[in-house]
């Protein structure tokens, strides 16, 4: 949810869209809690030490890529130079690939 909030803060201008993002994050948190309650767990993956370690190592890298991606998208929206736009589009593709690989490698 904090990454989604960051995307909203950087990229979303419309107030109704911001409200929608807030509502979705709230429902996401409620859903997470419901899943934990049903599983009688205090946190996700608490019975899978290997996955916890993988996520602990992965998240700082993927989180940084998400922050960079939001900035790239913001700059793309504001760009009026074709050469810079081409560079930003390449950077966006690199960020998409990096995030996808990071997520795919650990689930």
């Amino acid at each position: 949810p904090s990454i989604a909030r960051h995307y909203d803060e950087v990229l979303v201008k419309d107030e109704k869209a911001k409200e929608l993002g807030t509502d979705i994050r709230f429902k996401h948190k409620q859903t997470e809690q419901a899943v934990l309650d049903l599983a009688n767990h205090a946190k996700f993956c608490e019975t899978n030490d290997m996955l916890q370690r993988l996520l602990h190592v992965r998240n700082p890298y993927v989180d940084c890529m998400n922050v960079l991606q939001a900035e790239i998208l913001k700059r793309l929206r504001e760009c009026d130079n074709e050469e810079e736009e081409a560079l930003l589009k390449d950077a966006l593709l690199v960020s998409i690939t990096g995030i996808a690989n990071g997520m795919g490698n650990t689930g």
Side-chain angles (χ1 to χ4, degrees), residues 37-50:
D37 291 345
L38 287 169
N40 289 321
H41 288 199
K43 64 180 183 173
F44 287 108
C45 309
E46 69 183 25
T47 59
N48 189 334
D49 291 337
M50 174 67 82

Side-chain angles (χ1 to χ4, degrees), residues 27-40:
K27 292 203 182 299
H28 179 264
K29 191 158 187 69
Q30 285 181 314
T31 302
E32 280 185 340
Q33 190 56 56
V35 169
L36 290 171
D37 291 345
L38 287 169
N40 289 321

Side-chain angles (χ1 to χ4, degrees), residues 11-76:
L11 300 169
V12 178
K13 304 295 182 228
D14 181 74
E15 287 305 314
K16 289 217 179 264
K18 285 184 180 189
E19 288 176 26
L20 176 62
T22 299
D23 291 345
I24 290 170
R25 286 190 301 278
F26 178 73
K27 292 203 182 299
H28 179 264
K29 191 158 187 69
Q30 285 181 314
T31 302
E32 280 185 340
Q33 190 56 56
V35 169
L36 290 171
D37 291 345
L38 287 169
N40 289 321
H41 288 199
K43 64 180 183 173
F44 287 108
C45 309
E46 69 183 25
T47 59
N48 189 334
D49 291 337
M50 174 67 82
L51 184 55
Q52 281 185 46
R53 282 193 300 276
L54 288 170
L55 295 176
H56 180 74
V57 169
R58 176 202 78 184
N59 284 348
Y61 295 99
V62 174
D63 289 352
C64 287
M65 291 294 293
N66 278 291
V67 170
L68 287 171
Q69 187 178 76
E71 181 63 26
I72 292 165
L73 286 165
K74 177 180 177 242
R75 290 182 185 195
L76 256 173

Side-chain angles (χ1 to χ4, degrees), residues 1-13:
S2 63
I3 294 296
R5 186 179 323 102
H6 179 72
Y7 276 86
D8 278 358
E9 289 169 357
V10 172
L11 300 169
V12 178
K13 304 295 182 228

